[in-house]
Amino acid sequence: MKSAFIFPGQGSQSVGMLKDAAEAWPMISETFDEASNVLGYDLWHLCQHGPAEELNQTMVTQPALLTASVALWRQWCVSDGPRPDFVAGHSLGEYSALVAAESLDFIEAVKLVQLRGELMQDAVPAGEGRMAAILGLEDADVVAACEEAAQGDVVAAVNFNAPGQVVIAGSAAAVERAIEACKGRGARKAMPLPVSVPSHCALMKGAAEQLAEALEDVRFNDAVIPVVQNVNATVVKDADTLKSNLLKQLYSPVLWTDSIRTLSDEGVTVAVECGAGKVLAGLIKRIERGLPVHGIEDPDSLAGALAAFGQS
């Protein structure tokens, strides 16, 4: 049996997340304490008490979700959970995957995702960028609609999340035009998302240039667990390639559908969603219906995941 751990990105956060896990496992609060010492504020208190508006600010959301995923990964390890054959993360979740693969140190990852969030927020003035979810349309039709709607502005398909579920991003006016173009092509739904940062499109290239400077001083190791990366959905272990692809990820589409199919092609027959929520499990049902996905958000779900691996 081959297995994979998958790590969620933005959108999985919620006030009160991991409360039950923290009550059962000291590892959760210990990991959040580590992150808080780096960030300079009480990350756990913010995750538990909000306000949601603050937790949903990308420079807060990113370290919060990274820390949640790493805390649960550490709990899996101390619970004698077996090492998976592959790891992958959706967008921000790729940083969590790299920590699990021992390519990137956790503290360095916290610093990087906080900076990543700040740079992304600063890259496009508030209100000038937008993202939208397009449902019920073929990938090629979404791409064509964006090309038609661009008219000299930036708009592109940026998250290929599952068949019939694509997210687009770009300048606000171009995204609005693309929404109408997608509706004209028969989209079941085409709706703006409540985010101000247009992730994974060309508007993030300036942020990527600044992030590249920070990455120069960060040590990456070859991965001890192969990583399926967002930008090309290929299996990578080499440190330099992992680092290069992580930078490209900021302004390149997330090929999540292809990443899950890569895991399936590699023989993966069971997956664990390691982080808050169940967003990725829902997407995988639409990509590879026969691939079971277990969560590990609390003692009961951890026990179920361990049992799926033949552990007790």
Side-chain angles (χ1 to χ4, degrees):
M1 178 182 74
K2 287 188 178 181
S3 61
F5 263 56
I6 54 174
F7 298 87
Q10 292 191 79
S12 294
Q13 73 276 8
S14 62
V15 174
M17 64 183 185
L18 268 59
K19 180 176 183 292
D20 292 342
E23 291 175 352
W25 302 319
M27 182 64 72
I28 306 301
S29 58
E30 290 170 10
T31 303
F32 271 84
D33 284 347
E34 284 183 53
S36 296
N37 289 336
V38 173
L39 297 168
Y41 60 87
D42 189 337
L43 182 61
W44 178 253
H45 185 273
L46 180 54
C47 287
Q48 296 309 299
H49 303 287
E53 292 78 13
E54 187 172 351
L55 179 60
N56 291 338
Q57 291 177 8
T58 189
M59 67 281 293
V60 176
T61 305
Q62 296 199 31
L65 288 175
L66 167 76
T67 304
S69 286
V70 171
L72 292 172
W73 166 255
R74 288 175 169 179
Q75 185 60 42
W76 172 264
C77 294
V78 300
S79 302
D80 295 324
R83 176 184 287 180
D85 296 283
F86 300 92
V87 293
H90 186 286
S91 186
L92 165 71
E94 190 161 283
Y95 286 79
S96 305
L98 291 172
V99 173
E102 299 180 27
S103 176
L104 181 60
D105 176 75
F106 172 56
I107 296 302
E108 292 289 354
V110 172
K111 294 175 184 176
L112 280 174
V113 299
Q114 182 186 38
L115 175 62
R116 181 180 186 264
E118 291 171 352
L119 294 174
M120 290 171 69
Q121 192 70 62
D122 292 344
V124 180
E128 293 188 15
R130 187 160 295 178
M131 299 184 79
I134 311 299
L135 306 181
L137 207 58
E138 295 289 332
D139 292 356
D141 287 325
V142 178
V143 171
C146 288
E147 291 174 349
E148 171 189 318
Q151 299 176 22
D153 294 328
V154 172
V155 62
V158 296
N159 287 6
F160 294 92
N161 285 335
Q165 184 172 333
V166 179
V167 174
I168 65 174
S171 64
V175 169
E176 287 298 324
R177 293 194 296 268
I179 287 174
E180 294 307 312
C182 287
K183 288 178 179 177
R185 290 171 181 266
R188 181 164 52 84
K189 270 189 180 180
M191 51 194 179
L193 296 176
V195 297
S196 60
V197 176
S199 304
H200 302 293
C201 71
L203 296 177
M204 290 293 114
K205 283 195 173 178
E209 290 172 2
Q210 293 175 272
L211 187 63
E213 296 178 13
L215 280 172
E216 287 179 6
D217 299 325
V218 178
R219 176 185 173 87
F220 280 69
N221 303 310
D222 290 347
V224 300
I225 306 170
V227 183
V228 177
Q229 291 196 278
N230 289 178
V231 297
N232 50 20
T234 59
V235 180
V236 182
K237 292 184 72 175
D238 172 69
D240 289 340
T241 306
L242 289 167
K243 188 174 185 177
S244 174
N245 285 342
L246 191 66
L247 188 61
K248 292 175 187 174
Q249 184 221 54
L250 198 56
Y251 57 85
S252 302
V254 173
L255 305 183
W256 189 247
T257 299
D258 288 346
S259 295
I260 297 305
R261 288 175 175 160
T262 294
L263 291 172
S264 181
D265 290 344
E266 291 286 342
V268 169
T269 56
V270 62
V272 173
E273 183 166 3
C274 188
K278 300 176 181 177
V279 170
L280 299 184
L283 295 179
I284 288 175
K285 284 181 181 177
R286 302 186 60 173
I287 302 169
E288 292 288 344
R289 184 171 292 275
L291 177 61
V293 183
H294 302 270
I296 53 170
E297 281 192 281
D298 53 39
D300 287 344
S301 58
L302 176 68
L306 288 169
F309 281 77
Q311 309 286 110
S312 59

